[in-house]
Amino acid sequence: MPGASKFERLACASNDWIQVMVEGQPVKVRPGDSAAAALLAAGQSAARTSAVSGDPRAPYCLMGICFECLLEIDGVPNVQGCMVQVADGMNIRRQQGAPVLNDSLAAGVPA
Amino acid sequence: MSAHDVDLAIIGAGPAGMAAAATAAQLGLKTVLLDEQKGPGGQIYRSITQPAPADENILGKDYYHGRSLALALKNTSLDYRPGTSVWALDQDLTLSLSGNGQSQRIRPRRLLIATGAQERPVPFPGWTLPGVMTCGAAQILLKSSALVPTQPLILAGSGPLLLLIAAQLHRAGVAIEAILDTTPPRHYLAALKYLPGALRNLPLLAKGAGLLAELRRAGIRRITGVSELRALAGPDGTLGQVRFRQGKKAQTLSATTLLVHQGVVPNVQLSRSLNLSHDWDQLQQCWRPHTDSWGESSLPGLFVAGDGAGIAGALAAEAFGKLAALQIARQLNVISAQQRDQQSQRARRTLNQQRAIRPFLDALYSPAREFLLPADETLVCRCEEVTAGELRRLARDGCPGPNQAKAFCRAGMGPCQGRMCGLTVSQLMADERQVPNSEIGYYQIRSPIKPLRLGELADSAH
Ligand SMILES: Cc1cc2nc3c(=O)[nH]c(=O)nc-3n(C[C@H](O)[C@H](O)[C@H](O)COP(=O)(O)OP(=O)(O)OC[C@H]3O[C@@H](n4cnc5c(N)ncnc54)[C@H](O)[C@@H]3O)c2cc1C
Ligand code: FES
């Protein structure tokens, strides 16, 4: 769901900007942003869909607890977007469909 | 790579970990400080070496106090490794780490877990809708990215951090539609008996009163005695409205962002993975690893300090981190017991003073029952979409505890490994079965406690 961002950028202490791709669109972000923050700044309200019902889910905690921010980053699925800092040219996509928690994400599946 | 000649490994570079690291390194201990974040600061001082907002009034001077702690790290021989996650611990204190796509194991002589707190998950109907996030999440966007939510914005919940973040957003020029205060009115009376302890920390009481006054002066509507909170979807499937009750009156407000908060609870993922002994804290309604007054846990040589050992705030965390480092230096025969006691006097005083106000705050801001024992329709386990009603039914049908429930309904089996539902599942089952929380227990946590690429797992096998 692209659209007007629900988040606005205040005046920043430094004037560094880099460019990333969010859902195929170029977006200017700050080097201190996480991929999840970049997603929100780009106007995407949901990061992924629930693996069970398919309902949209969005970053909830931004500190690595909830796993609602799972994204596909540079082609790698199931990356915790709030724990990854942006890098110039990074390709950020929403996690499409049910996250496959096998070979790409070893944690989270208690034996 | 395997064993290292390390005296002390510290997990977490928040106030507790930073203070411990600086103290230990100054005493000549060979110290490693690990944190999964890209910079020091932990939660309260997140991004302190590069805060995003230009205007320092927004976050306030308590935030910028963190600069001195981060600076102190620089002037030591400390081995500080940002961007490093600890994903497993062994009984012999061996840590498995991963950073920059590589895994490594180190076995220090002493280990300090300073992994802090997480916000208490706030389950209520609609809390999984995009547009609902925690107050802490909004604060992280503010500190690290200078991003603020646009209107209409509603904050809902209870506790000092709710008021602080409301004030910070207001200072940032953000219009707040309303603050829905869910503190049950009877808590004010319940907290009164702890007031004498609170009076030992007048500066903090004054700060709280100051925040309330600031919000009042700003003309922000604060609706008290709120109950039956629920978030409703708009036409696009994201948050559209917030519904609640004040007294007998039901109200609905439009919102695109709802920030929720019900206090913070220790992050017990690592301490649980080692089966350390944990105590149920009735006043704080959470588990905390059992420690002695220096932070040593039930496993000798393993220390826990800061909010991860029980919520007491940033100044307490800083003091506790220092105390743990001094005791570790004592155990490693770097200082005498007398030197330890001398050097710990100020930190001990600070810790006691900061802790003295907790019972008052904890009684006042204890979450309302509806957030501890949510309504049947509420999703408790967000990952596997298990409702409170389902968990109640399992308990009624004789399911003895969270680990068995996991097998029946998959609650706690999703990617968050029970971080979001663990407390609620235990509490629901304890309530339904009418047994104490301490008896019901908690999920068995298994490593890896952090996501790992399979390649990294393979690395660590060598
Ligand atoms: C989101 C949030 C915002 C908060 N904001 C404030 C505030 O503005 N004011 C206030 O007074 N209090 C705030 N608090 C309360 C806060 O808990 C304490 O004040 C303080 O941060 C506790 O310090 P600490 O050193 O114990 O832990 P923390 O500051 O939480 O630091 C813990 C560190 O451990 C790291 N860590 C955790 N697990 C691992 C792992 N497995 N591997 C590697 N590193 C790991 C984390 O990245 C983090 O940096 C906040 C709490 C939260 C959760
Ligand atoms: S937003 Fe919660 S884990 Fe990333």
Side-chain angles (χ1 to χ4, degrees), chain A residues 1-2 4-14 16-17 30-34 36-42 44-68 70-71 76-80 82-85 99 101-111, chain B residues 36-38 43 46-47 50-55 58 117-123 127-134 136-138 140-142 144-150 172 174 236-239 256-257 260 267 379 382-385 406 410 412-417 419-420 446 448-454 457:
Chain A
M1 268 156 283
S5 175
K6 288 180 182 171
F7 293 85
E8 280 172 11
R9 194 82 72 163
L10 304 172
C12 291
S14 78
D16 305 334
W17 296 90
R30 288 186 39 83
D33 287 354
S34 66
L39 182 93
L40 295 172
Q44 297 286 340
S45 53
R48 65 171 177 107
T49 48
S50 152
V52 178
S53 62
D55 286 347
R57 292 289 175 82
Y60 174 79
C61 73
L62 288 175
M63 57 171 288
I65 301 293
C66 72
F67 287 71
E68 297 288 15
L70 295 178
L71 293 168
V76 182
N78 288 311
V79 180
Q80 243 178 325
C82 70
M83 303 302 282
V84 174
Q85 229 170 316
L101 298 171
N102 47 28
D103 59 338
S104 60
L105 182 75
V109 220
Chain B
E36 58 193 3
Q37 290 190 50
K38 291 286 185 284
Q43 299 310 341
R46 185 179 273 268
S47 302
Q50 282 173 309
D55 179 357
I58 295 174
Q118 65 170 73
E119 275 175 293
R120 177 191 296 279
V122 188
W127 72 309
T128 50
L129 286 174
V132 181
M133 58 166 61
T134 67
I140 288 169
L141 289 172
L142 185 56
S144 309
S145 300
L147 282 172
V148 294
T150 47
V174 180
D236 67 351
T238 68
L239 176 72
T256 49
T257 313
V260 292
N267 170 358
L379 284 184
R382 296 172 62 116
C383 299
E384 297 292 334
E385 305 207 347
K406 202 180 202 173
R410 295 190 57 82
M413 303 250 305
C416 91
Q417 290 175 295
R419 287 172 171 91
M420 295 297 286
R446 294 193 176 88
I449 63 134
K450 292 275 164 182
L452 268 187
R453 306 287 138 201
L454 272 193
L457 263 185

Side-chain angles (χ1 to χ4, degrees), chain B residues 12 14-16 35-37 42-44 84 86 114-116 139 161 306-307 314:
Chain B
D35 197 298
E36 58 193 3
Q37 290 190 50
Q43 299 310 341
I44 175 165
T84 307
V86 177
T115 51
Q139 199 197 37
L161 216 48
D307 270 5

Side-chain angles (χ1 to χ4, degrees), chain B residues 13 17-23 25-26 31 33 38-41 48-51 66-82:
Chain B
M18 289 193 289
T23 305
Q26 273 154 19
T31 306
L33 175 62
K38 291 286 185 284
I48 190 67
T49 53
Q50 282 173 309
R67 273 183 180 148
S68 60
L69 289 170
L71 207 63
L73 297 183
K74 284 225 166 112
N75 306 325
T76 64
S77 57
L78 179 73
D79 178 4
Y80 165 49
R81 301 193 205 167

Side-chain angles (χ1 to χ4, degrees), chain B residues 390-408:
Chain B
E390 215 172 325
L391 288 156
R392 285 196 172 97
R393 191 171 44 73
L394 277 174
R396 269 198 308 274
D397 289 350
C399 180
N403 291 300
Q404 295 80 359
K406 202 180 202 173
F408 283 113

